[in-house]
């Protein structure tokens, strides 16, 4: 069973700061999701990646398959980025369900 | 395309009752997965259906069951509800079941068991 660890668990930062959230997993994967969850519960998929780096607006996600590690970066953070960020992985070729980290609760103060 | 929809959005039941939740996937998506989210355990995989067949099941008791219809819509059922079943239940759809298929989540059904 894959173990997914995220750090930090909680992060409070000032508007404009560069944010990094880390995710490590224990077993080889076929893909990794970064998800965003706002109060109220809805989950949005930010990225799905299996190698390298992806960028969307102010968000950047990287993955190092050999080190079993991924990072999510937010540049020029804004209060609307305040949310829970969750790392989730597919093991078993993708046929198994997602295994989730416990999430990082991010607060960006104006 | 319309996103993943779930009904109802909120539900209150009492212990011992049963409940059925519904999920309509994105058009063209044949896979539907169900997840439970609680403050203590976080997000956990319940099961996935593809082409009306259960593909995989998480570590949940038999009180949790599901099915998928020919139009890919899915339902999950929880029988003999317990207080600990209070949770946000999320479904997600994807085109297929390989690791390259991204999942798209619905808004969730918040179940409260009294």
């Amino acid at each position: 069973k894959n173990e997914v660890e995220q750090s930090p668990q909680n992060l409070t930062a000032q508007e404009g700061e560069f944010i990094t959230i880390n995710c490590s997993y224990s077993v080889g994967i076929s893909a990794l999701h970064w998800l965003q969850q706002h109060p109220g519960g809805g989950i949005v998929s930010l990225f799905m990646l299996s190698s390298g780096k992806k960028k969307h607006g102010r968000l950047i996600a990287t993955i190092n398959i050999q080190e079993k590690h991924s990072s999510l970066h937010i540049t020029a953070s804004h209060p609307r980025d305040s949310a829970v960020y969750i790392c989730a992985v597919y093991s078993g070729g993708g046929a198994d369900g997602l295994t989730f980290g416990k999430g990082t609760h991010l607060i960006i103060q104006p | 395309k319309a996103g993943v929809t779930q009904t109802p959005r909120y539900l209150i039941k009492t212990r011992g009752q049963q409940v059925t939740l519904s999920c309509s996937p994105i058009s063209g998506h044949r896979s539907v997965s169900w997840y439970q989210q609680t403050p203590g355990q976080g997000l956990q995989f319940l099961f996935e259906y593809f082409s009306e067949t259960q593909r995989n099941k998480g570590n949940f008791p038999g009180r949790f069951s599901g099915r998928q219809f020919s139009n890919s819509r899915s339902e999950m059922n929880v029988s003999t509800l317990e207080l600990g079943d209070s949770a946000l239940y999320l479904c997600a759809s994807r085109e297929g079941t390989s690791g390259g298929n991204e999942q798209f989540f619905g808004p969730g059904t918040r179940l409260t068991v009294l």
Side-chain angles (χ1 to χ4, degrees), chain A residues 27-106:
Chain A
V27 178
I29 63 169
S30 50
L32 180 145
H33 265 283
W34 279 104
L35 308 169
Q36 182 193 56
Q37 186 172 34
H38 281 283
I43 289 180
V44 173
S45 175
L46 298 173
F47 296 102
M48 189 183 77
L49 63 167
S50 54
S51 64
K53 178 179 173 178
K54 287 189 175 181
K55 184 175 189 291
H56 181 69
R58 296 180 294 105
L59 301 177
I60 302 165
T62 63
I63 188 168
N64 185 318
I65 295 294
Q66 286 73 31
E67 295 186 2
K68 296 186 179 63
H69 181 269
S70 176
S71 293
L72 175 68
H73 305 287
I74 305 174
T75 62
S77 59
H78 189 276
R80 65 175 175 266
D81 296 325
S82 298
V84 177
Y85 292 83
I86 302 167
C87 169
V89 301
Y90 281 124
S91 307
D96 301 334
L98 287 167
T99 302
F100 299 87
K102 297 225 178 279
T104 294
H105 189 191
L106 175 65

Side-chain angles (χ1 to χ4, degrees), chain A residues 30-31 33 35 37 40-48 86 90 93-98 100-102, chain B residues 9 35 37 40-41 43-45 48 55-56 88 90 94 97-103 105-107 110:
Chain A
S30 50
H33 265 283
L35 308 169
Q37 186 172 34
I43 289 180
V44 173
S45 175
L46 298 173
F47 296 102
M48 189 183 77
I86 302 167
Y90 281 124
D96 301 334
L98 287 167
F100 299 87
K102 297 225 178 279
Chain B
R9 293 292 310 278
Y35 299 93
Q37 186 178 35
Q41 298 297 321
L43 276 156
Q44 295 182 281
F45 170 69
E48 180 175 23
R55 297 269 305 176
N56 207 345
L88 180 67
L90 292 150
R94 52 178 176 160
T97 57
S98 77
N101 294 134
E102 186 174 3
Q103 290 207 351
F105 287 81
R110 189 165 295 280

Side-chain angles (χ1 to χ4, degrees), chain B residues 19-31:
Chain B
V19 67
T20 299
L21 312 181
S22 181
C23 173
S24 292
I26 290 172
S27 177
H29 286 190
R30 295 166 64 194
S31 163

Side-chain angles (χ1 to χ4, degrees), chain B residues 7 11 15 18 21 29 31 35 56 65 67 91 93 100 109:
Chain B
T7 57
L11 204 49
R15 276 181 300 173
Q18 74 166 19
L21 312 181
H29 286 190
S31 163
Y35 299 93
N56 207 345
S65 63
R67 59 178 175 167
C91 84
S93 75
T109 294

